[in-house]
Amino acid sequence: MTLHIDLHAIVANWKALAAKAPGARAAAVVKADAYGLGAARVATALYQAGARDFFVALAGEGRALRPHLPIDASINVLSGHMEGADLTGLVPVLNSLEQFFRDRTMRPGKPFAIQLDTGMNRLGLEPADWAAIKAEALAAKPDFIMSHLACADEPGHPANAAQLAVFRQVTDGCDVPRSLSATGGILLGPNYHFDLVRPGIGLYGALPFADAQPVVRLSLPVIQTRNVQPGEFVGYSATWTADAPRRIATVAAGYADGILRAISSKGASLYAGDAPCPIVGRVSMDLITADVTDLAQVPLTLDLICPAQSVDRLAEYAGTIGYEILTSLGHRYDRAYR
């Protein structure tokens, strides 16, 4: 099982998104092991391309990444200063009064950033809490102040303008770099860009960045092929039955590898080049079956993610989003970079 990862495409996507926000510094979100693609390799390639600001979710992710980046790269931890966290060499993005006072007591003089809640009601200081510590926080010179858009993937959603208005209201005049936009926010236009943008999913070839270069190809080895006669079934619970003589290939991968069971018999295919081989029967823990009757010759591998079936197309079949497809990819794959 091989997950082919195009680092050149990731860099190209980062540059393309950076170019859409020319007045802002472009960071890179590499949390969840760079959305399943390998944070050390991805961050190193982006650093070489000019990125100096990186975002992870947890301090443990930051500590794992820190040895792979030079000291001038900033690794920002979105969960902030959790109790007991080792933040050596990292920048916590503080999101509550408790975190602010903990961090300033334990790490005086060390770099930090602030996250404000502007309506998503997930992470961030509420406006009243921000008002209570604003003077003290600004005097300590945070690296930046950020918030996060809840509906940026939907350009016409009224929550975008509402959150932008709140963000401006609580940060105008702070004289600190500001950041509001991830990939979707970048695409909303310059009003949302401020000083620092945080592209994430768009780096990895998925929506909402429709112009992204594809980044991954997932190739699965064929273990066995067999002939199935009319009336015979394939897989658990006999959910698919042949209506004519068919040739069935079994490949080595399954839901243990992050291939969601929800794509079973939903229209998704494995591909031999551009030729679709419909997935039939249930996706099981380690195996997937596909109809290869129409192939003149069955190749050694079949592709699940490829130009003919993108991450987002596969997500549609599973009833989910590209983020989940990428971050679900397991550790049994050989990851091959170019």
Side-chain angles (χ1 to χ4, degrees):
M1 300 183 291
T2 304
L3 183 63
H4 302 273
I5 299 162
D6 189 341
L7 295 173
H8 300 288
I10 293 174
V11 168
N13 292 335
W14 179 75
K15 289 181 176 179
L17 287 165
K20 292 181 179 296
R25 197 165 77 247
V29 180
V30 293
K31 62 183 181 178
D33 199 28
Y35 291 50
L37 304 186
R41 295 295 299 268
V42 169
T44 298
L46 290 170
Y47 179 89
Q48 292 170 351
R52 293 295 181 270
D53 304 275
F54 298 87
F55 284 83
V56 296
L58 302 169
E61 292 180 320
R63 289 197 307 275
L65 182 59
R66 183 72 273 175
H68 298 279
L69 291 172
I71 194 63
D72 65 330
S74 177
I75 301 176
N76 304 287
V77 179
L78 289 165
S79 60
H81 190 156
M82 301 284 284
E83 189 171 358
D86 179 0
L87 294 165
T88 305
L90 308 176
V91 180
V93 184
L94 309 177
N95 54 65
S96 68
L97 291 176
E98 179 185 19
Q99 286 203 357
F100 177 77
F101 291 119
R102 175 188 297 133
D103 191 71
R104 295 300 81 197
T105 298
M106 298 178 66
R107 302 174 63 253
K110 298 291 187 181
F112 72 100
I114 293 286
Q115 180 164 188
L116 304 178
D117 176 48
T118 53
M120 193 173 188
N121 287 302
R122 198 175 62 169
L123 282 182
L125 287 152
E126 297 289 339
D129 291 337
W130 171 235
I133 65 162
K134 181 176 179 180
E136 182 178 353
L138 293 179
K141 300 188 181 305
D143 283 6
F144 57 87
I145 300 170
M146 65 165 280
S147 190
H148 192 60
L149 295 167
C151 304
D153 292 2
E154 304 171 60
H157 199 291
N160 295 320
Q163 284 192 261
L164 174 62
V166 173
F167 189 63
R168 287 194 179 280
Q169 178 185 350
V170 296
T171 62
D172 278 354
C174 284
D175 196 27
V176 172
R178 293 184 287 179
S179 179
L180 181 61
S181 292
T183 299
I186 295 170
L187 301 176
L188 290 177
N191 287 341
Y192 292 82
H193 294 165
F194 294 93
D195 305 293
L196 176 71
V197 292
R198 313 182 308 271
I201 189 66
L203 303 180
Y204 307 106
L207 293 173
F209 187 27
D211 295 330
Q213 294 187 21
V215 169
V216 300
R217 178 187 290 269
L218 180 56
S219 299
L220 308 176
V222 176
I223 303 173
Q224 187 183 92
T225 59
R226 66 176 61 239
N227 294 316
V228 175
Q229 300 305 315
E232 293 186 322
F233 65 82
V234 173
Y236 283 121
S237 300
T239 60
W240 182 87
T241 301
D243 59 2
R246 311 305 294 175
R247 185 76 168 156
I248 302 298
T250 301
V251 302
Y255 58 74
D257 306 294
I259 298 172
L260 302 183
R261 192 167 176 266
I263 68 170
S264 302
S265 301
K266 292 290 180 64
S269 295
L270 300 179
Y271 279 81
D274 293 328
C277 305
I279 292 172
V280 298
R282 289 263 174 88
V283 172
S284 59
M285 184 181 293
D286 313 291
L287 302 171
I288 301 172
T289 43
D291 186 343
V292 295
T293 307
D294 294 338
L295 297 183
Q297 183 174 357
V298 179
L300 296 176
T301 63
L302 294 169
D303 292 339
L304 180 64
I305 300 172
C306 57
Q309 183 168 264
S310 68
V311 167
D312 292 297
R313 184 64 184 273
L314 190 63
E316 289 179 13
Y317 290 126
T320 185
I321 54 177
Y323 299 74
E324 184 177 12
I325 296 296
L326 284 176
T327 58
S328 295
L329 296 174
H331 295 288
R332 293 199 292 190
Y333 301 115
D334 292 326
R335 282 164 167 76
Y337 296 90
R338 71 177 185 90

